[in-house]
Amino acid sequence: MKNSVRRAHGFTLVELLVVIAIIGVLVGLLLPAVQAAREAARRMSCSNNVKQIGLAVHNYHSAYGKLPMTMGGTFEAGANSGGTAPVGSNNRRRLSWLVGILPFLEQQALWQQISNPNRYNAAGALLGGNESWNAMGPAPWTTQYGPWMTDIKAFRCPSDPGFGAPALGRTNYGGCLGDSTDWTTNGAFTFGNGSWNSAGSRVSSCRGVFVARQFTAFRDILDGTSNTIMAGEMQTSLGDRAKTTNLARNPPGGWSSLHTNPSACEQANFLDPTRPQFWCGGGGTGCTTPDLAGGNQMRGYRWADGGLLYTGITTIRPPNSELCTAGGDSSSGTMSPSSHHQGGVHCLMSDGAVRFITDSIESGNQQSPVVNNSMSPPCLPAGSASPFGLWGALGTRASHEVLEGDF
């Protein structure tokens, strides 16, 4: 009888290396598809956030017969001019439109903290003595006030990785204030001295669904709610020099230059030619370093602040264009929507629909003067059609423009 010999079967080294190589190739092929699927899911979640905000605004309008005000709130001339101390605290008429819709986004608990006197600081500790923040809180840049430091999930796009200091609570969504570079932040009321602005300059420039320090309603949207942008996305700063999140100030020629040419910051050679999505940072790159805002004066860094930089958009420069003003963080200027989604941004139409608008939307003459009664001429007179094409027309509520083209 012959003895049978059993041999152990296994992979040779060459076979093992081939298998590993095949697995590596498959992972390399699948990884982009997985990443694309994840971004598609994040984009859908972002679109849902925009939809929920639209429903909240419509419910607010149903309850009060008007849209939430941006740059509204409390004001006390001469007392606590900064609005940041508990004693005499007031928010300097700087609250954003997002504050008013909190109860309609299942944020009743946070709304109760804001709308009533509050005796706690941002760390949850009692204030000294019998001090308390007054109802509607202090100025929205107050880091000691807990509600302003709160990140609200409904206000954040999952595709935006921005997080933490120096920001307060962040937002990725801003209300549309129209197609002009003048008066859109101050609107009906001047921040510093508490005086009302002249009707002529305010009405001619404030052409969006939201008007700073003034209530508007759906009845004011004469161009049709399905043809008028109410809000749009915006990126928040990642601590770099991105042109969509860092505000460039004071282009050559100041306000006169910006009002008569909204591309003033781009044409001032402020963008890095080797990295055109970023501002020039010096170092001999063949460009001019702009004056950039710093600290928490960045795009979307204060969800409670009604300033255009923080919770507003304009339809002047196309989506994902640079931010530019001739003043500070409280000033008007070109504040385009922006996003981390490929090719465009989500916009909320006034009828509640969510539309994805591409960066290549027809945007007219980007070197045209804006509509501005206080500088006319050379600016366009009150009542003019938007010079910024389909994009500008979508941002005005009552200019009687006939929309043509796909968006």
Side-chain angles (χ1 to χ4, degrees):
M1 185 174 177
K2 295 181 178 180
N3 293 328
S4 58
V5 178
R6 290 187 176 181
R7 293 183 178 180
H9 294 283
F11 290 110
T12 66
L13 180 60
V14 172
E15 290 172 332
L16 183 61
L17 292 176
V18 168
V19 170
I20 292 174
I22 293 173
I23 292 174
V25 170
L26 291 175
V27 170
L29 292 173
L30 289 174
L31 190 58
V34 171
Q35 292 174 335
R38 288 177 175 172
E39 169 53 24
R42 290 191 292 264
R43 177 171 163 174
M44 183 176 296
S45 178
C46 181
S47 175
N48 184 62
N49 283 350
V50 178
K51 183 70 173 179
Q52 294 304 313
I53 289 173
L55 289 173
V57 172
H58 275 255
N59 287 333
Y60 183 101
H61 191 279
S62 295
Y64 300 110
K66 53 192 175 185
L67 297 173
M69 183 188 294
T70 193
M71 294 290 282
T74 56
F75 179 82
E76 187 176 352
N80 183 23
S81 59
T84 57
V87 177
S89 54
N90 64 94
N91 51 56
R92 308 296 291 171
R93 286 199 177 99
R94 280 290 296 251
L95 295 191
S96 76
W97 61 285
L98 296 172
V99 175
I101 63 174
L102 287 175
F104 303 95
L105 285 170
E106 298 186 352
Q107 293 291 332
Q108 292 90 342
L110 185 60
W111 172 251
Q112 289 297 323
Q113 293 181 41
I114 296 169
S115 59
N116 293 288
N118 187 334
R119 296 196 59 200
Y120 295 88
N121 63 20
L126 278 170
L127 297 173
N130 293 320
E131 289 186 342
S132 66
W133 306 105
N134 288 336
M136 301 312 297
W141 51 85
T142 306
T143 56
Q144 295 80 23
Y145 186 63
W148 299 162
M149 299 296 293
T150 303
D151 272 311
I152 300 170
K153 187 176 181 180
F155 294 160
R156 296 304 315 277
C157 172
S159 294
D160 190 315
F163 178 78
L168 284 74
R170 299 190 187 215
T171 180
N172 289 109
Y173 309 109
C176 182
L177 282 89
D179 66 338
S180 184
T181 55
D182 195 29
W183 290 112
T184 47
T185 288
N186 280 331
F189 197 88
T190 301
F191 168 70
N193 58 23
S195 63
W196 292 95
N197 293 334
S198 62
S201 57
R202 168 168 49 90
V203 173
S204 66
S205 298
C206 299
R207 300 170 13 127
V209 167
F210 292 101
V211 176
R213 298 180 174 129
Q214 177 179 315
F215 283 112
T216 56
F218 286 133
R219 65 185 178 188
D220 300 316
I221 305 175
L222 303 183
D223 290 348
T225 54
S226 63
N227 297 325
T228 306
I229 293 174
M230 176 184 288
E233 279 189 89
M234 55 189 184
Q235 300 171 355
T236 67
S237 178
L238 304 181
D240 52 24
R241 301 175 70 84
K243 68 178 185 180
T244 54
T245 60
N246 282 37
L247 179 65
R249 303 176 292 194
N250 304 315
W255 283 116
S256 296
S257 174
L258 187 60
H259 291 335
T260 56
N261 179 10
S263 300
C265 281
E266 180 185 53
Q267 295 187 345
N269 198 31
F270 284 167
L271 296 174
D272 189 332
T274 63
R275 304 177 71 213
Q277 296 303 312
F278 294 85
W279 296 115
C280 181
T285 57
C287 55
T288 303
T289 302
D291 174 22
L292 298 182
N296 60 33
Q297 296 180 1
M298 301 284 187
R299 193 71 157 140
Y301 265 24
R302 308 175 191 166
W303 69 263
D305 194 329
L308 183 58
L309 174 65
Y310 305 107
T311 54
I313 65 167
T314 58
T315 57
I316 304 170
R317 299 284 285 146
N320 288 301
S321 294
E322 72 283 352
L323 308 179
C324 182
T325 183
D329 71 301
S330 298
S331 301
S332 303
T334 60
M335 308 282 179
S336 300
S338 57
S339 81
H340 291 283
H341 311 306
Q342 187 67 33
V345 298
H346 288 111
C347 284
L348 173 67
M349 310 307 290
S350 297
D351 64 352
V354 180
R355 303 292 298 268
F356 190 79
I357 296 183
T358 64
D359 298 343
S360 59
I361 186 171
E362 194 277 311
S363 53
N365 179 6
Q366 287 293 296
Q367 284 77 50
S368 170
V370 301
V371 176
N372 182 344
N373 196 51
S374 62
M375 283 187 64
S376 187
C379 289
L380 301 181
S384 298
S386 178
F388 307 116
L390 175 60
W391 176 234
L394 287 170
T396 58
R397 67 183 183 277
S399 295
H400 304 287
E401 293 146 319
V402 177
L403 300 185
E404 297 180 359
D406 185 22
F407 63 95

